[in-house]
Structures are given as C-alpha cells and as structure tokens.
C-alpha cells in the first residue's frame, strides 16, 4: 500500500537556542566559540531585533509569547513541545543534538565508547555546576535520574525507553557504564537532552516533591526565576553554565493563548517574538506590517491512521484507493501553503533512513 502523510510546517519560534546560543555546540571546549542553535522546529514572528539586544550595559531581555497553559517541567512526565522547548534550556543530557544536522553531540558526557553497542561507557564532563547552588554534577546524578525513570513509583511514561537497560553503574565520580540486554546502536538518543535523558538533582526532587514540575533544577544554560501558570514563565541565565553564560540574561514567556491577541502584543512592542503562529490570516497581517517570519521546515509529520475494526477500512483495497486518491500537496497549497505540505514518508527528510519511495 502506498501511504501519504501530511507534513506540518507550522509557525514556531526556534527559541531553543535562540535563547541559549551558548548551548550544544559541536565543540563545547572551543574557547569563546559560538555554539550552534538547538533543534526547536518551526517558524517565528519577531519584532524589532534590537529589543532583545539592549543598549550596551543594559540587561538583554527577550519577551516571548507562550501559547498555552504550562504543564510543568519534570523530565519524568513532561509533555508537549512548548514545555519541552523550555526544559531543553533548563536541563542537560549525556548527549544532545546539533541543530543544523540533528546528529548526536556531547553534552554532560564529553565522550563515550561502546562494546558492540551493548555496553556503553560515558566519560562525564568535570566541573559542571548545578543551578541554584546544588554543587557539581557527578555520575551519582546520572544513576539517580535514570533509576528514577525506571522506578514504578515515579510512573514515568518514558520508562519504556529504558526497557533494554540491564544495569547502570558508576565506577567513579566521572564515569557511567550502562549495559544493555541487547545491542542498540541508537542508544545515544535515549540519553540525550529530551524526556528521560534529562538529568535531575536528587536533592531538588526530594525538596520540592510533587511540586518539582514547577521548581525544575538542571545544569542547562537557563534556570527558572518564576513560574506563574496563569500568566508568565521567567528564565534567567545560569551564570555557571559549563559553556559560559548565555548572551541573553532573561527570557520572559508571557502566556497569551489567543493568536490574534498575541499579534497585537507583538505590534505594540509588548513581546519580541511569537512562539508559534499557525493561522494564515494572522501571518498575512504580520507580513504586511513588516514583521520577520522565520520558517523552519520539516518538524513533524501528521499521520492518518485507519481504524481496522471498521469493516470498510479493513479492506486493503479501500485503503489503497484512499492513499492514491488524496492529493495532499494540492490540499495544502489550497488551504495553508505556508503551514504544511504533502509528505513522502513517516520520516522527515533529514532523518536517517528517509526515502521518498516509502510503501
């Protein structure tokens, strides 16, 4: 059966490292080397660039529209991209992703080696400091974080990501050895700066208990100053971040759910950047007003899933007819040409294994 998918483009702010421009460089040890932007997907609508780059000597503050109620920032159960993008700047993983290629790069682990993709040994970066004065990051933090995900009491929806883990050991302060049940050449993705791979601090988890999702503590380039779920989220840069302080001192996320209201706030200078704009009519208004629309393609695929319990859809010929008949390119061009286009595969074209000949 030939399948068709709709590729969502959307309008999202790529703030994951617009904010933390000092984070996740391919060579974090290079002196004063500006790191690559992190991999948040989508487009942004931004106002005067000078707003976020204040005059010399003044604090650099970026004001961003956050479009939904925040759901908390505990890596054990975090969900939805708007929350994940913020968490990416608060936490770190053993590995991370290069924004330009999506490839795995070092983060809290400065290097690693593997024996047959079954035993993974990570050499940790020394001197990394936790936010909020929690001291130095060590292998004990890695063991605690991963065992917390695996603990049934945590009820993490990401525990299955570690189902292949046989044991996690820390032979010394800066070494972690993870043995798998079966070889996995993609294991570096499981320990990356995303969901279960994000490292937390035991003492902070124990201090805040069930409120830790509103009091996240990590080793990333930004730390939480304030979270008001009804109005705003404020991040300030982590001055002791291992790659050096971020160029922006503070990011204020104002919660503005209505997109038209966000557009007005942008035009009035109340915010600098809209985090996600996904209505063609609003984009037209902003573009005509002279605002910059930054577009990032290929961040998600929208799947069409058939219910095979339906006797009609259970018929292979019906599904094949649907797949051949629907012209997603034409639909996208006619309905929302800036926001989506037809896709050739469940994978995105920058992913390994992508092929236009998916069947």
């Amino acid at each position: 059966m030939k399948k068709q998918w709709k590729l969502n483009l959307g309008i999202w702010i790529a703030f994951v490292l617009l904010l933390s421009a000092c984070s996740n460089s391919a060579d974090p040890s290079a002196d004063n080397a500006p790191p690559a932007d992190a991999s948040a997907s989508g487009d942004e609508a931004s106002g005067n660039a000078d707003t976020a780059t204040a005059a010399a000597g003044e604090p650099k503050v970026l004001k961003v529209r956050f479009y939904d109620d925040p759901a908390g920032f505990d890596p054990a159960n975090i969900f939805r991209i708007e929350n994940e993008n913020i968490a990416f700047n608060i936490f770190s993983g053993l590995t991370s992703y290069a924004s330009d290629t999506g490839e795995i790069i070092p983060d809290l682990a400065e290097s690693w080696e593997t024996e047959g993709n079954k035993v993974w040994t990570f050499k940790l970066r020394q001197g990394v400091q936790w936010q909020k004065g929690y001291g130095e990051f060590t292998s004990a933090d890695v063991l605690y974080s991963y065992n917390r995900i695996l603990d049934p009491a945590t009820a993490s929806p990401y525990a299955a990501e570690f189902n292949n883990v046989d044991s996690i050991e820390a032979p010394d302060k800066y070494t972690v050895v993870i043995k798998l049940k079966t070889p996995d050449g993609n294991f570096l993705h499981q320990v990356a700066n995303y969901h279960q791979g994000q490292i937390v601090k035991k003492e902070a988890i124990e201090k805040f208990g069930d409120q830790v999702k509103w009091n996240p503590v990590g080793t990333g380039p930004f730390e939480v100053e304030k979270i008001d779920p009804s109005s705003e989220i404020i991040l300030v840069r982590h001055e002791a971040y291992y790659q050096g302080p971020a160029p922006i001192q503070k990011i204020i996320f104002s919660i503005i759910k209505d997109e038209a209201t966000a557009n007005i706030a942008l035009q009035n200078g109340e915010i600098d950047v809209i985090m996600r704009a996904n209505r063609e009519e609003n984009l037209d208004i902003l573009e005509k007003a002279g605002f910059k629309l930054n577009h990032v393609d290929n961040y998600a695929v929208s799947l069409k899933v058939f219910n095979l319990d339906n006797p009609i859809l259970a018929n292979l010929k019906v599904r094949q007819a649907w797949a051949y008949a629907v012209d997603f390119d034409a639909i996208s061009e006619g309905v929302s040409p800036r926001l989506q286009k037809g896709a050739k595969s469940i994978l995105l074209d920058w992913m390994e294994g992508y092929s236009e000949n998916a069947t």
Side-chain angles (χ1 to χ4, degrees), residues 69-85:
D69 294 317
F73 306 99
D74 181 354
N77 52 39
I78 192 170
F79 185 64
R80 302 203 319 253
I81 192 169
E82 66 273 16
N83 300 299
E84 292 156 351
N85 281 345

Side-chain angles (χ1 to χ4, degrees), residues 135-296:
E136 185 188 11
F137 159 78
T138 69
S139 58
D141 299 315
V142 179
L143 266 62
Y144 172 77
S145 298
Y146 294 170
N147 285 326
R148 177 175 180 253
I149 295 291
L150 288 166
D151 186 350
T154 305
S156 173
Y158 309 116
E161 301 293 333
F162 286 153
N163 275 350
N164 193 31
V165 171
D166 185 42
S167 66
I168 309 173
E169 300 174 351
D172 60 54
K173 194 175 179 180
Y174 302 110
T175 304
V176 172
V177 179
I178 301 178
K179 296 180 181 179
L180 307 181
K181 299 172 185 175
T182 60
D184 182 0
N186 289 316
F187 185 68
L188 294 177
H189 292 281
Q190 309 305 104
V191 294
N193 186 12
Y194 185 69
H195 292 171
Q196 75 288 335
Q198 293 173 331
I199 307 301
V200 298
K201 187 63 176 171
K202 177 182 179 181
E203 288 77 6
I205 299 294
E206 293 177 342
K207 175 180 178 180
F208 294 109
D210 60 3
Q211 293 301 302
V212 72
K213 66 180 181 179
W214 305 120
N215 298 276
V217 175
T219 56
F222 285 88
E223 60 185 70
V224 170
E225 180 180 272
K226 173 186 177 182
I227 298 178
D228 184 338
S230 65
S231 62
E232 66 181 4
I233 303 163
I234 300 178
L235 303 183
V236 294
R237 69 183 181 189
H238 178 199
E239 299 293 342
Y241 181 54
Y242 77 85
Q243 292 190 51
I248 297 173
Q249 283 128 313
K250 179 177 289 190
I251 307 104
I252 301 173
F253 295 92
S254 298
I255 300 173
I256 308 174
K257 296 182 182 179
D258 181 69
E259 188 172 311
T261 303
N263 285 3
I264 294 171
L266 180 67
Q267 294 177 76
N268 290 341
E270 299 167 17
I271 56 176
D272 303 315
V273 182
I274 289 179
M275 179 185 177
R276 193 181 77 167
N278 60 359
R279 294 183 180 274
E280 291 279 350
E281 61 271 23
N282 290 332
L283 298 181
D284 289 337
I285 293 171
L286 292 176
E287 190 169 47
K288 290 175 181 177
F291 287 90
K292 181 181 180 183
L293 305 180
N294 294 322
H295 195 273
V296 178

